[in-house]
Amino acid sequence: MTATIPRGPRLRLIVLCGVIGLVTLIVGLALGPRVHTVLADYRASSDADLGADGTWYISQMHPWIIQPEPGQCPVCGMDLTPVDPDLFEAEIAIDPVVVQNMGVRVARAETGALSRSVRTLGTVTVDEARVSDVVQRFGGWVEEVFVEAQWDRVVPGQKLMRVYAPAVLAAEQEYLAAQAHADDAMGARVLKAARQRLELLGLDAAELKRLDAEGVASDTLVVRSAVSGYVWEKNVNRGSQIMPQSVAYRIANLDQVWIEATIYQQQAPFVAVGSPVRIQFEDSRAERTGTVAAVYPQVDAGTRELTARIVLENGAASELVVPGQFVTLAIAGAQRAPAVLIPREAVIGTGERRITFVSLGRGKFEPREVELGALGDDGRVEVLAGVEDGELVVTSGQFLLDSESRMREALAKVMRGTAAGTVLPEAPASASIDGLPASAADAWRRLIESYLVVQDLLYRGEGPLAQASNDLLGRTRGLVAETTAADEHFLHRYPLLGQLRDEVTALDASSPEALRPGFGAVGITLSSLLQRFGQPAGLSEPIAGWRCGMFSDAPDKGVWIQAGAEARNPFYGASSGMHECAVDQWSLPAAATAEVAP
């Protein structure tokens, strides 16, 4: 049986809970700015790195309240409790029983030579060293074609075409006339020169023998193949006119062919001349083997790929590998120099960084940033820096350790003042900062100034927001026009500028509430561009990047740029108790540019 509260007392209980909630809300709004000020004072203090006795104190009910000395929570009045000092250590200590329940597994880092096979596709082509051209040495007209189709097979001495050749007719007549006057030494020399002329015109021994036997000049000449192979190109038909030095036929010998393999840039270190290759065909024929004969020293500008050439001895006619055929290749990669190797699953990617956890024994783990090399066939990856030979790395359960590590990192930031309220050192101008074209410097400054106007209007919550947003769009398009006029490939090298244009175009300035979500995305992109191009010269005061972790469901989108040392949060506005909310602040480099027009 379930007990029920009478209607009268139940109503009074609901009213009492509502009153308590309302009082709590009023107290929070009244004390919120004060609490924020207290925290900012502590963070700004030069001696706030540690409490007087090396201990920090935290509110159990409001964990964002952290102080370097004991006292009471300014929100709820509860006593602050000491923070575990182990939370400030880089190492993570977990009870061994918990480690076992988490399923944490480790593997030992070992020094070894990494090997990797490259599996890719290839295309069969002719061996260019086995290609022969049938080139005409005289002009004429084709009267008859004996080999009429591409890829017809020919053998040495086979007739290709019959050509009407007036030049050959005249040369034969001269030769026959020289034979009639070859009795003396002068006549013999003339006969010899006439015969050499016929040979130079391409008459073979059989045609010369016929001419000597019959003594009759012919106005046509049969052209024969000097090699065996397949007709790769055919450039004549009946009635075609041929000119001296024109290629009538191109014949390819397929006893040996090339395979051109596609090699991605990251695979290139594993492919070398002489590497053995297994060749698999799409049909039922057996697997073949070959070797890498060359790696072309050129990267395709469109696909960013290299090409390797494999030499393959062809088989019988029934097993002939023909040009244009696709094959699958497995190239046995060359071994690399010995290096420290760990399993690939031990590495956590965090964007620009790679993290692995090293087991120190007795339930202690240390996160390490590592620099990686190549990935091998056995699933291990080279570690160029960060892990030593013989150390144990976590291969399973490391994501739970990573969560713990991030919580400690965030707490350490609050303790040491690297969260909101701390201004990082300004990055100096550097030659490594990519500069805009000189003609775009003024457009870059105007864009930043327009952005700062929109940021200020959002913070104040009033003013001509739509006009300012349109001005920002116009100046963004102006910067794109200036940069592309100076360098037509600028947007290809800096796609973030095109992204910024699209994000500004998509802004909805109908109200501050509608504009703020898109404004956060614009802030992220603009911050990245400022890191690349630097602050434009001519601004009234330096600017910095800020981030509010409380904005919307995606904290990373609460990014904005502003001038001044005090946070002016455009996502909540001056009228909100969150107007100074900021989790991070970072300095922006100063661009090394020349004078900017006013």
Side-chain angles (χ1 to χ4, degrees), residues 155-170:
V155 296
Q158 181 175 339
K159 295 180 180 180
L160 299 177
M161 60 182 177
R162 185 188 302 278
V163 179
Y164 169 67
V168 175
L169 175 62

Side-chain angles (χ1 to χ4, degrees), residues 357-553:
F357 284 86
V358 177
S359 174
L360 305 178
R362 297 185 177 180
K364 291 188 175 182
F365 303 89
E366 180 183 11
R368 301 264 188 91
E369 183 173 352
V370 292
E371 181 181 350
L372 302 182
L375 177 65
D377 284 336
D378 58 357
R380 295 189 297 174
V381 64
E382 291 178 337
V383 179
L384 306 181
V387 175
E388 301 297 332
D389 181 39
E391 291 187 307
L392 295 176
V393 296
V394 178
T395 60
S396 177
Q398 66 268 46
F399 288 98
L400 299 175
L401 299 177
D402 184 53
S403 299
E404 177 71 14
S405 174
R406 288 175 182 270
M407 290 175 62
R408 297 187 179 207
E409 180 183 4
L411 183 58
K413 282 184 177 181
V414 175
M415 299 298 190
R416 293 173 174 81
T418 55
T422 299
V423 180
L424 302 180
E426 181 178 353
S430 169
S432 64
I433 297 176
D434 296 334
L436 290 164
S439 59
D442 185 55
W444 177 230
R445 175 178 61 85
R446 293 177 182 276
L447 186 153
I448 298 300
E449 290 174 343
S450 291
Y451 173 88
L452 294 176
V453 170
V454 177
Q455 182 268 331
D456 182 65
L457 293 176
L458 281 175
Y459 174 74
R460 291 192 286 113
E462 59 181 4
L465 196 58
Q467 178 181 343
S469 179
N470 288 335
D471 184 56
L472 175 60
L473 176 58
R475 293 190 175 184
T476 304
R477 290 174 175 172
L479 178 61
V480 172
E482 289 285 353
T483 53
T484 53
D487 179 2
E488 61 180 359
H489 299 293
F490 193 85
L491 287 184
H492 295 286
R493 293 189 292 111
Y494 301 102
L496 276 178
L497 182 55
Q499 179 178 327
L500 177 67
R501 175 195 57 196
D502 297 339
E503 290 171 346
V504 173
T505 302
L507 289 177
D508 180 2
S510 58
S511 66
E513 292 74 17
L515 181 59
R516 281 166 177 151
F519 192 73
V522 170
I524 295 176
T525 306
L526 190 58
S527 175
S528 299
L529 288 172
L530 282 163
Q531 294 287 353
R532 179 65 60 86
F533 301 144
Q535 298 187 40
L539 294 178
S540 58
E541 56 181 317
I543 56 178
W546 298 72
R547 182 173 72 87
C548 170
M550 298 295 294
F551 177 65
S552 75
D553 296 329

Side-chain angles (χ1 to χ4, degrees), residues 63-217:
W64 61 87
I65 304 298
I66 305 173
Q67 298 182 176
E69 57 188 20
Q72 293 181 333
C73 174
V75 177
C76 63
M78 293 182 61
D79 291 337
L80 302 180
T81 58
V83 178
D84 183 0
D86 289 341
L87 293 178
F88 303 111
E89 301 296 332
E91 300 174 0
I92 301 173
I94 301 178
D95 186 276
V97 176
V98 178
V99 170
Q100 183 175 3
N101 293 335
M102 290 169 57
V104 174
R105 296 198 305 271
V106 297
R108 190 173 301 278
E110 300 176 344
T111 299
L114 194 70
S115 62
R116 178 179 177 182
S117 61
V118 176
R119 190 171 181 85
T120 184
L121 297 176
T123 305
V124 179
T125 64
V126 298
D127 185 341
E128 295 180 6
R130 295 172 178 263
V131 176
S132 301
D133 289 342
V134 179
V135 180
Q136 294 308 114
R137 304 180 184 181
F138 50 84
W141 289 263
V142 178
E143 289 192 347
E144 189 174 1
V145 175
F146 301 109
V147 178
E148 296 184 334
Q150 187 181 17
W151 297 117
D152 280 354
R153 181 169 176 79
V154 297
V155 296
Q158 181 175 339
K159 295 180 180 180
L160 299 177
M161 60 182 177
R162 185 188 302 278
V163 179
Y164 169 67
V168 175
L169 175 62
E172 289 185 353
Q173 290 173 342
E174 290 179 2
Y175 175 73
L176 294 176
Q179 281 185 332
H181 302 83
D183 298 336
D184 53 13
M186 178 63 72
R189 287 197 295 273
V190 172
L191 179 62
K192 182 178 180 181
R195 186 179 182 88
Q196 288 179 340
R197 183 182 178 189
L198 291 174
E199 291 174 350
L200 292 175
L201 287 173
L203 271 71
D204 55 17
E207 179 64 19
L208 291 173
K209 184 177 180 180
R210 181 204 66 78
L211 185 61
D212 289 335
E214 297 179 0
V216 177

